[in-house]
Amino acid sequence: MTDERARANLQPLSLHVPEPRFRPGDPVDFADVAVPPVDAARRPDTAADPRSFHELAFGLVRVLELDGTAGGQWNPRLSPDQMRRMLRNMALTRAFDERMFRAQRQGKTSFYMKSLGEEAVSIGAAAALADDDMCFPSYRQQGILLSRGCPLVDMMNQIYSNRGDKLMGRQLPIMYSEKRFGFFSISGNLTTQYPQAVGWAMASAAKGDTRIAATWCGEGSTAEGDFHSACTFASVYRAPVIFNVVNNQWAISSFSGFAGAEATTFAARAIGYGIAGLRVDGNDALAVYAATQWAAERARTNGGPTLIEHFTYRAEGHSTSDDPTQYRSAGEPNAWPLGDPVVRLRDHLIALGEWDEERHAQMDRELAEEVRAAQKEAEKNGVLGHGMHQPFETMFEGVFEQTPWHLKEQQAQMIAERQAAGI
Amino acid sequence: MARMNMIQAINSALEVTMARDPDVIVMGEDVGYFGGVFRATAGLQAKYGKTRVFDTPITEIGIVGVAIGMGAYGLRPVPEIQFADYIYPALDQLVSEAARLRYRSAGDFTAPITVRSPYGGGIFGGQTHSQSPEGIFTHVSGIKTVIPSTPYDAKGLLIAAIEDNDPVLFLEPKRIYNGPFDGHYDRPSKNWGSHPAGEVPEDHYRVDLGTAATVRVGNDVTILAYGTMVHVALNTIEELGIDAEVIDLRTLVPLDIGAIEASVKKTGRCVIVHEATRTSGFGAELSALVQERCFHHLEAPVERVTGFDTPYPHSLEWAYFPGPVRIGEALKKVMKD
């Protein structure tokens, strides 16, 4: 212990432990969340020096106003067809999530994670990337797979761990792996995909390829050491990679303050690494598209990496195993000042005279039917818990390229034990 | 053929595989311009350029994570971790990612990486330049663990590891980089100059993973060892005049169980020697396997001579190291029955 008398004239220290503004039962007021107008953010040259991104890392790149109009330097001026395609993919992601969430509640699978409210983050990025750019997603970018045309039945087969599951029932639901759609195998371990994406991008550059990599993590996961290592590597080698931080305000029950959001933005982390940093309205599909397109061009012209913070809100629980009413105010999702990404793009198209309520309702009906039909098809291959859908001996395969003796022995032992037990 | 020490043999393995396969790349702290703190990568950057041999930031998470991503792209990275004592920051990437990638993606993606790392004691390396962490990795399904004990094997095994499509941890016993250490720290050190396994082909050859080498045929007791301890064990039995059979495991996973089983069934006795700490070390697995498979042939309990269950001490190194005295006592004990 220290000498009490010698230190008696000093103020006692106090430990700051962050606390979210609203807990269950609290009224919600997001008035202090800055929503700058769409013309507030300048669009720099894609070769701009990373040191010049201060205001963009602390500001907010926006294209869509909440009234449905679009403007500003970042407006990507997409054709109505392109925007309708994005709208459809967002609505499809929402319909898919809704259906699979219900399937979990019906006991057809063990687990599911929705991306409600964050659809623009995946769909806007997927629309701006080339189809053969490699994505290293977290578990909440199912919109990329849907954008890239992955069959719904294949995704559902994985969720059900059934006979049609290409991952042979080995993986937790939603931990997809789809090399043919440039979608890297999802891991349960957070942010491990970040340095891997950098490595993929470095390999592409070393080989003189033209493809780039993009990766995603949540704001909570930026606290992992992998995030720091990935940013350092990407900066050092000017890797053609796009870092996406999906700041949805919540990491399960921890608000973003526990990842450092009280002191700075996540986009601002880029500045310290010498990486271009953009902070983007994550509920604005056109802003996400524009930022991704900008970062992709920067990467493709050897300008190096970009970190994009997507400022959004996790409108649902973390997963089917989570109950957000235990730790945050129920009023938050509806009070979120950046609105709903589907509604905002819909209203924009309507304002342009390129869409209407009736067509939107019709689209939703079609998508619900498409998802329902896919579900019916997938369930023909079985659902979780109704018997083992993969031959049990396959669990020993694929640990190594060739199965070594000790695994073959364990496999033979298991077969013998089950035969002896009559199962 | 040429005379090589283990460092030169490793350098030659890297050189040969890089010449044959443009997808082989070498990366790690100080491996590029400087050629590595142990000189294992000397000359490679000058020959193959900075995009194939490069220095990295000091982050083991990054080194292994980036290598995995390069492997997923289609390259064959050979990352170096400067000392095995510093591999722990990369543990998540090795255990959760490299080792699981093929399995969790059902072969969609693989991690054909070879992580090289100097390991083991006997050099006054103290707590963080002496450790033998192999048992941590042999416990992980999906990763292969390889440890050479001679220049000839180092080159052949490293080439086989790099060409293997599974992730391999390649641990290099730094005590014997320059010569076959016999356990007598107070005598002049030897070099590989006159050792038969210091004669190394200059071109491509492989020593298959998963195969042990019976380095001495004997009848009275089987010694299972790898790395530096192969030489310490060989010298000890020569000095004591014990007719032991010495098996150099070379690959811990997958293990050459056939060679072990045949030898112990012949001799009826088994002593396991490793530098790593005892509890839950790889010796425990070896002991269990011998007991399960050779029970009726055993004339005495299986003995383990290992590092003690303490951090690796600096000034007390030669009391800690499983040297000739400790191996000799264990051999006498199993031979008594």
Side-chain angles (χ1 to χ4, degrees):
Chain A
M1 293 300 285
T2 52
D3 183 336
E4 294 288 333
R5 280 166 304 169
R7 307 185 70 82
N9 62 342
L10 296 178
Q11 284 285 325
L13 293 165
S14 64
L15 179 70
H16 172 67
V17 180
E19 182 62 23
R21 305 228 338 264
F22 318 113
R23 286 297 195 186
D26 290 345
V28 175
D29 179 6
F30 282 127
D32 68 321
V33 174
V35 183
V38 297
D39 52 6
R42 68 186 169 88
R43 185 180 188 278
D45 190 275
T46 54
D49 190 312
R51 280 171 287 205
S52 67
F53 283 79
H54 191 274
E55 82 209 51
L56 285 160
F58 285 96
L60 201 62
V61 170
R62 304 181 66 235
V63 173
L64 287 173
E65 293 285 16
L66 294 167
D67 65 3
T69 58
Q73 293 180 30
W74 286 89
N75 188 350
R77 299 178 195 287
L78 299 181
S79 70
D81 274 346
Q82 286 174 302
M83 288 190 280
R84 278 190 290 261
R85 204 153 42 236
M86 284 166 65
L87 183 66
R88 188 177 183 87
N89 283 331
M90 284 199 285
L92 173 61
T93 304
R94 189 165 290 189
F96 185 89
D97 278 355
E98 189 50 45
R99 200 80 203 165
M100 290 297 99
F101 188 92
R102 210 179 318 160
Q104 191 278 337
R105 290 292 187 250
Q106 292 166 344
K108 293 173 177 175
T109 186
S110 58
F111 183 74
Y112 193 72
M113 297 175 105
K114 293 171 102 170
S115 62
L116 187 73
E118 301 171 38
E119 294 91 345
V121 173
S122 300
I123 276 81
L129 293 169
D131 276 348
D132 56 356
D133 289 334
M134 190 68 190
C135 295
F136 289 77
S138 81
Y139 45 70
R140 227 184 284 279
Q141 281 79 49
Q142 52 265 54
I144 296 169
L145 269 184
L146 292 161
S147 289
R148 287 185 166 182
C150 183
L152 307 188
V153 176
D154 288 355
M155 294 171 70
M156 290 171 175
N157 285 339
Q158 198 280 328
I159 290 164
Y160 288 140
S161 286
N162 64 18
R163 278 189 301 283
D165 175 12
K166 285 183 294 170
L167 305 185
M168 306 175 81
R170 293 173 186 166
Q171 263 287 38
L172 196 67
I174 71 153
M175 304 283 182
Y176 311 106
S177 176
E178 287 287 359
K179 193 175 188 176
R180 64 198 165 133
F181 294 107
F183 193 91
F184 188 71
S185 160
I186 297 174
S187 169
N189 295 61
L190 297 176
T191 331
T192 50
Q193 71 275 15
Y194 253 60
Q196 293 163 4
V198 176
W200 197 98
M202 287 173 65
S204 183
K207 283 297 196 183
D209 199 343
T210 58
R211 292 175 294 165
I212 63 171
T215 185
W216 287 258
C217 75
E219 89 286 350
S221 310
T222 61
E224 294 282 5
D226 301 72
F227 179 84
H228 166 68
S229 286
C231 289
T232 303
F233 257 88
S235 172
V236 167
Y237 303 97
R238 288 186 208 156
V241 64
I242 304 173
F243 293 132
N244 294 281
V245 174
V246 185
N247 178 6
N248 66 13
Q249 316 301 321
W250 291 95
I252 308 185
S253 73
S254 308
F255 87 115
S256 59
F258 284 101
E262 284 184 337
T264 185
T265 70
F266 295 96
R269 305 238 187 276
I271 294 171
Y273 292 104
I275 295 174
L278 303 172
R279 189 162 174 271
V280 172
D281 177 350
N283 290 11
D284 176 346
L286 300 184
V288 173
Y289 178 98
T292 307
Q293 184 193 44
W294 184 96
E297 186 185 313
R298 183 174 174 86
R300 257 185 258 283
T301 52
N302 288 308
T306 301
L307 191 158
I308 305 173
E309 173 184 349
H310 302 270
F311 194 64
T312 182
Y313 187 85
R314 194 194 76 206
E316 279 273 5
H318 165 71
S319 72
T320 48
S321 308
D322 181 40
D323 174 9
T325 66
Q326 298 297 308
Y327 51 79
R328 72 183 188 190
S329 171
E332 287 195 29
N334 289 330
W336 185 245
L338 296 174
D340 176 302
V342 175
V343 170
R344 285 176 63 191
L345 189 59
R346 180 199 70 185
D347 289 353
H348 176 58
L349 278 161
I350 291 173
L352 291 175
E354 294 288 348
W355 197 242
D356 56 54
E357 302 273 2
E358 178 43 41
R359 285 172 80 182
H360 195 87
Q362 175 63 23
M363 177 185 76
D364 278 343
R365 281 193 296 275
E366 283 170 19
L367 292 174
E369 187 42 51
E370 190 183 330
V371 172
R372 196 165 23 242
Q375 186 185 23
K376 208 176 278 181
E377 199 59 33
E379 288 180 6
K380 285 182 192 164
N381 294 321
V383 296
L384 188 71
H386 292 238
M388 263 188 284
H389 300 299
Q390 302 284 339
F392 57 82
E393 59 270 27
T394 62
M395 90 163 100
F396 298 94
E397 295 162 6
V399 178
F400 296 98
E401 186 176 39
Q402 262 120 36
T403 304
W405 67 269
H406 64 284
L407 283 168
K408 284 184 185 155
E409 270 195 9
Q410 289 167 32
Q411 185 182 42
Q413 185 186 350
M414 185 200 188
I415 291 169
E417 282 169 358
R418 292 176 66 87
Q419 276 170 352
I423 49 174
Chain B
M1 298 289 260
R3 277 273 140 208
M4 294 188 198
N5 63 28
M6 195 182 280
I7 285 287
Q8 291 163 330
I10 286 161
N11 186 272
S12 176
L14 294 170
E15 210 285 321
V16 164
T17 49
M18 292 190 81
R20 283 164 64 101
D21 182 351
D23 289 335
V24 174
I25 66 113
V26 168
M27 58 190 283
E29 297 159 15
D30 305 297
V31 306
Y33 183 86
F34 179 57
V37 295
F38 290 104
R39 316 308 300 148
T41 57
L44 296 177
Q45 188 181 75
K47 187 154 187 184
Y48 293 104
K50 290 197 289 186
T51 56
R52 291 190 65 195
V53 183
F54 54 88
D55 294 310
T56 63
I58 303 171
T59 160
E60 288 77 15
I61 300 177
I63 291 168
V64 175
V66 161
I68 292 167
M70 290 180 149
Y73 177 91
L75 301 190
R76 211 168 266 283
V78 189
E80 177 184 302
I81 301 296
Q82 202 161 76
F83 287 86
D85 314 63
Y86 303 134
I87 206 163
Y88 308 120
L91 209 57
D92 190 30
Q93 286 287 349
L94 285 166
V95 174
S96 311
E97 301 296 318
R100 310 280 196 252
L101 188 54
R102 177 190 295 279
Y103 191 75
R104 78 172 193 231
S105 72
D108 210 17
F109 296 95
T110 58
I113 68 171
T114 301
V115 180
R116 289 183 42 245
S117 192
Y119 94 109
I123 58 150
F124 277 115
Q127 296 189 20
T128 56
H129 298 81
S130 307
Q131 293 170 39
S132 299
E134 67 273 14
I136 292 171
F137 296 95
T138 56
H139 189 59
V140 175
S141 42
I143 195 161
K144 294 177 177 173
T145 301
V146 176
I147 301 178
S149 71
T150 66
Y152 181 89
D153 282 355
K155 178 170 176 182
L157 286 167
L158 182 54
I159 291 173
I162 295 169
E163 291 174 355
D164 196 281
N165 291 324
D166 292 314
V168 179
L169 176 65
F170 192 85
L171 292 174
E172 302 166 2
K174 57 184 162 323
R175 183 62 182 80
I176 56 172
Y177 268 157
N178 293 315
F181 179 57
D182 63 11
H184 290 290
Y185 59 92
D186 46 354
R187 296 179 193 168
S189 49
K190 300 185 190 75
N191 61 36
W192 287 105
S194 58
H195 195 284
E199 196 73 32
V200 179
E202 283 164 295
D203 49 7
H204 178 275
Y205 68 95
R206 298 164 58 116
V207 173
D208 289 339
L209 305 188
T211 62
T214 303
V215 293
R216 185 187 185 281
V217 177
N219 290 305
D220 293 346
V221 54
T222 298
I223 298 178
L224 303 179
Y226 47 88
T228 303
M229 300 320 295
V230 172
H231 303 283
V232 179
L234 277 172
N235 189 63
T236 304
I237 58 171
E238 294 307 328
E239 287 176 357
L240 296 178
I242 293 172
D243 186 22
E245 184 145 297
V246 179
I247 297 182
D248 175 1
L249 299 176
R250 300 199 292 199
T251 302
L252 307 193
V253 176
L255 186 67
D256 188 347
I257 192 66
I260 295 169
E261 211 175 317
S263 179
V264 176
K265 281 182 177 169
K266 181 178 75 173
T267 63
R269 291 176 166 86
C270 182
V271 173
I272 295 157
V273 191
H274 63 56
E275 295 177 68
T277 49
R278 174 173 308 220
T279 303
S280 303
F282 191 63
E285 179 63 28
L286 290 171
S287 177
L289 285 167
V290 167
Q291 185 270 138
E292 286 162 6
R293 285 160 188 268
C294 308
F295 185 76
H296 296 291
H297 294 78
L298 285 175
E299 310 275 352
V302 176
E303 274 293 312
R304 284 181 286 161
V305 188
T306 70
F308 297 116
D309 285 339
T310 69
Y312 204 106
H314 182 240
S315 69
L316 307 175
E317 172 150 64
W318 298 115
Y320 178 91
F321 189 87
V325 173
R326 295 184 53 209
I327 296 171
E329 287 305 309
L331 285 166
K332 286 177 209 160
K333 191 174 167 194
V334 293
M335 302 286 285
K336 205 168 56 193
D337 294 313

